Amino acid sequence: MNAVVRLYDRFTPLAALADQVQPLLLLALRVFIAWVFIKSGLTKINDWDTTLYLFTEEYSVPLLPPAVAAVMGTLGELALPPLLVLGLAGRFAAAGLFVVNA
């Protein structure tokens, strides 16, 4: 039992440091994920003809015309990541990005 108490005493400062660093790590993760989606959206805007072709031939989106799906997907990739980074409607933004990714 004494060894368990010594281990606990040794790792308590490490746990306190992890609690202090956690918000910064979570912010960095949100920024990274947002950057990936924003880059994808900008790529779609830069070559719109290819985007329309991909939504017509490659991505078989049910119930939507390919042009509408392309606009909605691009808009989602550009509008939702800033919400995720800022923490405004984070769950809504994450759910929207999940739908765009699916």
Side-chain angles (χ1 to χ4, degrees):
M1 188 62 145
N2 196 12
V4 173
V5 171
R6 278 187 276 154
L7 275 175
Y8 178 78
D9 290 340
R10 280 193 182 165
F11 287 106
T12 300
L14 187 61
L17 177 65
D19 286 341
Q20 292 175 354
V21 175
Q22 180 184 10
L24 293 174
L25 292 175
L26 292 175
L27 176 64
L29 184 63
R30 288 196 316 260
V31 168
F32 175 73
I33 291 171
W35 178 243
V36 169
F37 277 100
I38 287 174
K39 280 188 348 183
S40 176
L42 292 175
T43 301
K44 287 180 176 142
I45 285 178
N46 285 335
D47 196 0
W48 190 249
D49 291 334
T50 302
T51 301
L52 288 177
Y53 174 77
L54 285 173
F55 273 88
T56 303
E57 300 296 328
E58 190 70 25
Y59 312 142
S60 56
V61 180
L63 304 174
L64 288 176
V68 173
V71 169
M72 289 177 64
T74 305
L75 184 65
E77 287 181 342
L78 294 174
L80 296 174
L83 294 176
L84 188 67
V85 170
L86 295 174
L88 301 171
R91 290 182 179 155
F92 168 75
L97 289 172
F98 176 77
V99 170
V100 168
N101 200 28

